[in-house]
Amino acid sequence: MFKAVNRQGTYTTKYDDAKKKFGTDDLLPLWVADMDLASPQCVQDTLAKRAAHPVYGYTVYPPAYYDAIQNWMQTRFDWSIEKEWIVPCYGVVPSLNFALSAYSKEGDGVIVQTPIYPPFVSSVKHKKRKVLDNTLVYSDGCYIIDFEDFEHKAKEGKLFLLCSPHNPTSRDWSKEELEKLIEICLENDVLIIADEIHADIVYDKVHHSIGSSEKMMQHCVILNAPSKTFNIAGLNTSYAIIPNLKLRQKYRLEQDKSGITNGNPFGIEALISVYEEGADWLDALKGHLRSNITFVSTFLKEHNIPIKAVPTEATFLVWLDCKGLGLEHEALTEFFYHKAKLGLNDGMSFGEAGEGFMRLNVGTSKEVLEEAMHRLLKAVKAL
């Protein structure tokens, strides 16, 4: 059911930008966080139908857009949200920047948890806020939160940029961990901006949204989109869920300043389609991704490759602990890009805490991953 699609020549970042990224185009690109798998048939049919209409002008967000989001949140996460809480957006990263402008000023402290998706840190720096790094602790092959340090940082912080599920470590924070973060943030009047874009792809439990907490509901902004889940990131359609009226008004003001006020007609149609008809496809996708994750972990162990796959609780991104190779950062990237001929995201791009790690995108076919693992094995043997 899930076969890799040839994406070369479609102006896709993962393939057509690989040479610029890695200095060579003869590698297998497994980096950017989108999948090489076809989007659900319902999306393809919906977009074809919309494309058949010959006018693609300015587009509003129809009632069906809001209904689809409300129903998805209720069905998948048992979270009942109000229509007025939903703010249509262009993308999670732009929204992150709007939130920083809306709720803080230059010099304010913003808590992040490295290793982290790069825009979390770069956005804070671009906005001239102070990065407060509550570095995650890598212990016994898993990542945990240093709550003592978080409490210390919260005394100085104005905002906390929460990545939940976490990218790149793939942790899906437990309800107990989130409750502890909530208590500390409430005690110190820290507003939580939560990126929950990977919430749909959680394997062994149901994702807990920070916004569903009665305590935190009025003190948070939730950013989400169907883009990662259904492989429609290029359609630039996302949303914020902001229960608090004043916070919602402040966010809207900043977003409106950007001039981004109209929707993408294809993105809107796609969102409605996947949230109304994509549940079964998603369940099948998670089974495929879980199989890919297991394959990678098992292959590394069975072939005694000195690389460990950090347990993947969520996302289609496997965080590889490559410290066993004994290579410094530059030598490690040289090994992957030019010896193994694999294009992965290097750990240092997620912060200094990512040194010695690489991020592998398993959102592809089993056959592609088999090729990748055999390339890796051959390169390791040649070390």
Side-chain angles (χ1 to χ4, degrees):
M1 179 180 179
F2 293 99
K3 299 294 183 182
V5 178
N6 184 352
R7 302 174 64 191
Q8 291 178 319
T10 61
Y11 316 125
T12 180
T13 301
K14 183 184 286 185
Y15 286 84
D16 297 328
D17 226 18
K19 187 171 184 178
K20 179 181 176 182
K21 169 74 173 177
F22 302 109
T24 178
D25 58 3
D26 64 345
L27 45 65
L28 196 59
L30 298 164
W31 57 303
V32 177
D34 61 10
M35 296 182 281
D36 293 335
L37 309 173
S39 294
Q41 190 62 46
C42 62
V43 172
Q44 299 176 50
D45 294 343
T46 295
L47 296 189
K49 181 179 179 181
R50 178 62 184 87
H53 189 289
V55 180
Y56 315 110
Y58 294 122
T59 305
V60 299
Y61 293 89
Y65 167 90
Y66 299 93
D67 292 342
I69 295 171
Q70 285 181 282
N71 291 336
W72 187 258
M73 288 296 149
Q74 182 68 61
T75 303
R76 302 297 290 197
F77 307 109
D78 194 27
W79 185 22
S80 179
I81 65 173
E82 302 296 329
K83 176 182 177 181
E84 58 265 25
W85 297 356
I86 302 169
V87 182
C89 306
Y90 177 81
V92 167
V93 173
S95 293
L96 204 63
N97 281 271
F98 298 146
L100 284 166
S101 296
Y103 308 123
S104 65
K105 61 182 185 299
E106 288 188 14
D108 281 346
V110 180
I111 305 170
V112 299
Q113 295 175 316
T114 65
I116 191 70
Y117 178 52
F120 273 60
V121 174
S122 61
S123 296
V124 175
K125 291 181 176 178
H126 290 156
K127 294 292 183 181
K128 298 182 180 179
R129 274 60 168 168
K130 181 180 180 180
V131 176
L132 302 176
D133 186 2
N134 172 231
T135 310
L136 297 176
V137 178
Y138 186 54
S139 176
D140 295 325
C142 184
Y143 282 87
I144 58 175
I145 298 169
D146 183 342
F147 284 102
E148 184 177 345
D149 178 71
F150 186 86
E151 195 159 8
H152 175 72
K153 295 291 193 324
K155 297 184 186 305
E156 186 182 356
K158 179 79 171 179
L159 303 177
F160 169 34
L161 304 186
L162 170 67
C163 194
S164 178
H166 191 268
N167 175 9
T169 70
S170 83
R171 274 299 317 276
D172 187 53
W173 308 115
S174 68
K175 189 174 182 181
E176 291 72 27
E177 287 171 312
L178 291 175
E179 287 176 347
K180 200 165 183 179
L181 290 172
I182 287 170
E183 290 297 335
I184 296 171
C185 287
L186 289 176
E187 288 173 7
N188 293 277
D189 195 26
V190 174
L191 180 69
I192 298 181
I193 312 299
D195 169 4
E196 298 190 0
I197 200 169
H198 290 283
D200 293 317
I201 305 178
V202 175
Y203 297 106
D204 292 321
K205 55 185 175 180
V206 176
H207 172 76
H208 292 285
S209 173
I210 203 86
S212 64
S213 163
E214 291 292 336
K215 291 181 179 179
M216 200 67 212
M217 188 178 293
Q218 299 299 319
H219 306 279
C220 70
V221 172
I222 307 301
L223 306 177
N224 208 335
S227 53
K228 304 294 184 186
T229 310
F230 298 100
N231 213 26
I232 52 175
L235 298 180
N236 297 111
T237 301
S238 69
Y239 52 92
I241 300 175
I242 314 176
N244 183 277
L245 176 59
K246 288 184 178 179
L247 292 178
R248 194 161 65 246
Q249 290 173 334
K250 285 184 177 181
Y251 176 87
R252 281 188 179 277
L253 180 62
E254 288 301 322
Q255 182 166 276
D256 289 348
K257 286 179 184 178
S258 72
I260 301 175
T261 55
N262 294 107
N264 178 325
F266 293 98
I268 291 170
E269 294 284 6
L271 180 145
I272 295 169
S273 173
V274 295
Y275 280 173
E276 288 184 348
E277 305 176 61
D280 289 343
W281 181 92
L282 172 56
D283 291 338
L285 171 72
K286 287 167 65 175
H288 172 76
L289 295 175
R290 185 197 290 268
S291 177
N292 281 355
I293 291 164
T294 300
F295 167 72
V296 169
S297 180
T298 301
F299 189 97
L300 293 173
K301 292 175 183 176
E302 289 184 347
H303 292 84
N304 297 313
I305 297 175
I307 295 174
K308 298 176 183 178
V310 175
T312 306
E313 297 179 358
T315 82
F316 47 84
L317 308 167
V318 177
W319 190 232
L320 299 175
D321 179 353
C322 305
K323 294 178 181 178
L325 292 173
L327 301 175
E328 297 295 328
H329 172 68
E330 288 188 10
L332 181 61
T333 55
E334 169 72 17
F335 168 77
F336 270 92
Y337 305 161
H338 301 287
K339 304 298 183 184
K341 297 293 182 181
L342 297 174
L344 278 62
N345 292 92
D346 73 274
M348 284 287 281
S349 65
F350 301 90
E352 291 184 8
E355 184 173 7
F357 291 80
M358 300 291 286
R359 193 188 74 175
L360 168 67
N361 182 341
V362 298
T364 186
S365 68
K366 177 72 172 296
E367 292 74 18
V368 169
L369 279 183
E370 287 176 342
E371 169 66 18
M373 289 298 101
H374 281 100
R375 288 190 186 192
L376 180 59
L377 177 61
K378 182 179 178 180
V380 167
K381 287 182 176 179
L383 272 178

Coordinates of all heavy atoms in Angstrom, one line a residue, residues 43 73 109 170 188 217 278 320 327 341 365:
V43 N -7.4 13.0 -0.8 CA -6.8 14.3 -1.1 C -6.6 14.5 -2.6 O -6.9 15.5 -3.2 CB -5.4 14.4 -0.4 CG1 -4.7 15.7 -0.8 CG2 -5.6 14.5 1.1
M73 N -10.4 16.9 16.4 CA -9.9 17.1 17.8 C -10.7 16.2 18.8 O -10.2 15.6 19.7 CB -9.9 18.5 18.2 CG -8.8 19.3 17.6 SD -7.1 18.8 18.0 CE -6.2 19.2 16.6
G109 N 13.0 36.4 28.1 CA 13.5 35.0 28.0 C 12.5 34.1 27.5 O 11.3 34.1 27.8
S170 N 11.6 12.4 19.3 CA 10.4 11.7 19.1 C 9.7 11.3 20.4 O 8.9 10.4 20.5 CB 10.6 10.4 18.3 OG 11.1 9.3 19.1
N188 N 4.9 30.6 37.6 CA 5.9 31.6 37.2 C 5.3 32.5 36.1 O 6.0 33.3 35.5 CB 7.2 31.0 36.8 CG 7.9 30.3 37.9 OD1 8.7 31.0 38.7 ND2 7.8 29.0 38.1
M217 N -5.6 25.8 29.9 CA -6.3 26.2 28.7 C -6.3 27.7 28.4 O -6.1 28.2 27.3 CB -7.8 25.8 28.8 CG -8.6 26.0 27.6 SD -10.3 25.4 27.8 CE -10.0 23.6 27.9
G278 N -9.8 10.8 6.2 CA -8.4 10.2 6.2 C -8.1 9.4 7.4 O -7.0 8.9 7.5
L320 N 19.2 8.9 15.7 CA 20.2 7.9 15.8 C 21.4 8.4 16.6 O 22.0 9.4 16.4 CB 20.7 7.6 14.4 CG 19.7 7.0 13.4 CD1 20.3 6.9 12.0 CD2 19.2 5.7 13.9
L327 N 33.3 9.3 16.0 CA 33.6 10.4 15.0 C 33.2 11.7 15.5 O 32.1 11.9 16.1 CB 33.0 10.1 13.7 CG 33.3 8.8 12.9 CD1 32.4 8.6 11.7 CD2 34.8 8.7 12.6
K341 N 26.7 7.6 1.6 CA 25.8 8.2 0.6 C 24.4 8.3 1.1 O 23.4 8.0 0.4 CB 25.9 7.4 -0.7 CG 27.3 7.4 -1.4 CD 27.7 8.8 -1.9 CE 29.0 8.8 -2.6 NZ 29.4 10.2 -3.0
S365 N 9.4 4.0 1.7 CA 9.0 2.5 1.5 C 10.1 1.7 2.3 O 11.2 2.1 2.6 CB 9.0 2.1 0.1 OG 10.3 2.2 -0.5

